[in-house]
Amino acid sequence: MSSPSPDALLGPADVRELAAALGVRPTKQRGQNFVIDANTVRRIVRTADVRPEDTVVEVGPGLGSLTLALLEVADRVTAVEIDDVLASALPATIAARMPTRAGRFALVHSDAMDVTELPGPAPTALVANLPYNVAVPVLLHMLDTFPSIERTLVMVQAEVADRLAAGPGSKVYGVPSVKANWYAEVKRAGAIGRNVFWPAPNVDSGLVSLVRRTEPVKTTAAKRDVFAVVDAAFAQRRKTLRAALAGWAGSAAAAEAALVAAGVSPQARGESLTVEEFAAIAENRVTEDAGATGR
């Protein structure tokens, strides 16, 4: 594989020039903050453990800063971009700055939440700088839709990074933590300063690494049923699970029965439970109909 020239990546002047030529002004609505530091994008690619055989999917490539760094290493890169102007400009940027790799690049012009298939080989890695307002739903959608994704590295607002990587018992452990853990082993993988972005955001950013579980969570319950328990448990996180799951189970007594059968104290709260325990609760839900038939 021929190695791209060292100046192929975008620097601060390149990013501003490209944006000006396209008439692009970063919008808060889409959480657009473009990375302007080549060292940072290379660090992200290294931290993501991107390999020469990887097919990487990138969500929200923007002007292409990270895309170019991914193309330096990966076999293929498919970028998903919702913005009309950015999507139409990116292939030309790749062709101009990394002509030898342009054939390894594909663009999908779509909202990531609507993507159910990608061109070319199945993705093996997901690397993205995700806007904080859609970071969690986009991440979970991609992990669910593309089980071939083994390794993920996302750059998100520091607070979101903390939530995703939190373990049971942490104050910030919640719905994103449990659902991400359904798919992967999750951990914080570094911090990113504000000065590597244009415009500089007023929040810090963090890297989160997700390595797909080699074995899924052992449960007979469907994912949607497990996630329903998680949503109910954290909707009223100050309540005991007996009270918080009353609506989900049909009554407080039914919730208590499911909890006891799962080996979980009815007085416990959602933030103390592992994803496996939530799955056990889902398995032990008894519907009124099932109860009436003596099941």
Side-chain angles (χ1 to χ4, degrees), residues 51-210:
R51 303 163 190 176
E53 65 273 19
D54 274 325
T55 295
V56 179
V57 58
E58 180 191 7
V59 175
L63 293 166
S65 301
L66 179 56
T67 318
L68 289 162
L70 288 165
L71 275 168
E72 280 189 329
V73 180
D75 183 49
R76 292 174 181 275
V77 176
T78 301
V80 180
E81 178 57 68
I82 188 173
D83 186 288
D84 297 343
V85 175
L86 295 172
S88 62
L90 189 55
T93 302
I94 302 299
R97 301 190 76 91
M98 227 173 255
T100 60
R101 307 293 293 149
R104 300 281 179 172
F105 172 73
L107 179 93
V108 175
H109 181 193
S110 172
D111 182 335
M113 293 299 290
D114 297 333
V115 170
T116 54
E117 55 183 2
L118 294 167
T124 53
L126 165 65
V127 184
N129 170 19
L130 295 176
Y132 71 90
N133 51 338
V134 295
V136 172
V138 164
L139 174 63
L140 296 176
H141 170 72
M142 296 300 285
L143 289 173
D144 195 56
T145 308
F146 301 103
S148 58
I149 294 172
E150 299 160 12
R151 283 158 284 117
T152 294
L153 189 81
V154 290
M155 177 160 56
V156 291
Q157 187 179 342
E159 189 186 329
V160 177
D162 289 340
R163 280 194 206 140
L164 282 167
S170 161
K171 281 184 181 174
V172 293
Y173 182 72
V175 172
S177 331
V178 183
K179 290 184 178 178
N181 203 233
W182 171 266
Y183 300 103
E185 301 296 330
V186 190
K187 65 175 188 182
R188 274 295 295 258
I192 300 285
R194 302 179 189 193
N195 60 344
V196 303
F197 296 98
W198 173 70
N202 54 9
V203 292
D204 293 318
S205 298
L207 297 175
V208 182
S209 159
L210 300 96

Side-chain angles (χ1 to χ4, degrees), residues 210-226:
L210 300 96
V211 177
R212 173 95 51 181
R213 286 173 174 265
T214 47
E215 305 239 330
V217 175
K218 286 189 171 61
T219 180
T220 56
K223 182 203 73 177
R224 67 175 180 277
D225 296 329
V226 178

